[in-house]
Amino acid sequence: MLVRDAMSTVVLTIGPDHTLRQAASLMAARRIGAAVVLDPDAGAIGILTERDILNSVGRGQSPDAERAHAHTTNDVVFATPSWTLEEAAHAMAHGGFRHLIVLDGGEPTGIVSVRDIIRCWAPLRQHAPA
């Protein structure tokens, strides 16, 4: 199975100046755990995850004052739609993260998460011989 078969194609994109509260609200409304942060001025693509927001709040920072750019991971590993799920899982396990932004032609076209991979693999494992 390939990343294109598992990825979510509805990608939440936010700007670097969104507050963490705005980002959390948008993520909660869509029931997702990550947002792609696009900074058109810098030409950069990053990711903001629920863990980034949780860490900020846990440090006592205000979600109304903190901006996404201060908590965005910019050293991102990107997947392509043609990666296998095994390649994606390996990248996540090796890097210690749970989401991969999927790029096609340099543009974000999806996000694949550990949960997406498990959803694809679980039915396959149930039917495998013991």
Side-chain angles (χ1 to χ4, degrees), residues 4-95:
R4 75 170 47 91
D5 302 318
M7 71 183 195
S8 301
T9 57
V10 177
V11 179
L12 172 62
T13 58
I14 62 172
D17 289 326
H18 275 77
T19 66
L20 293 187
R21 183 175 307 279
Q22 290 169 323
S25 177
L26 292 167
M27 290 162 63
R30 289 164 179 78
R31 300 177 46 88
I32 58 173
V36 174
V37 181
L38 296 178
D39 186 348
D41 295 333
I45 299 173
I47 191 165
L48 179 73
T49 68
E50 58 198 354
R51 183 174 291 158
D52 298 324
I53 296 169
L54 182 65
N55 286 338
S56 174
V57 172
R59 287 191 298 270
Q61 296 173 331
S62 168
D64 294 312
E66 291 297 311
R67 302 293 175 186
H69 68 83
H71 302 278
T72 297
T73 300
N74 292 310
D75 184 20
V76 179
V77 174
F78 297 102
T80 68
S82 61
W83 273 21
T84 65
L85 292 186
E86 288 81 5
E87 288 173 302
H90 176 75
M92 289 178 191
H94 181 71

Side-chain angles (χ1 to χ4, degrees), residues 1-11 79-83 85 88 92 100-104 107-117 119-120:
M1 235 178 194
L2 302 177
V3 164
R4 75 170 47 91
D5 302 318
M7 71 183 195
S8 301
T9 57
V10 177
V11 179
T80 68
S82 61
W83 273 21
L85 292 186
M92 289 178 191
L100 283 170
I101 299 172
V102 182
L103 292 184
D104 194 5
E107 295 295 318
T109 58
I111 291 187
V112 65
S113 69
V114 170
R115 180 180 291 169
D116 296 327
I117 293 172
R119 257 190 228 120
C120 289

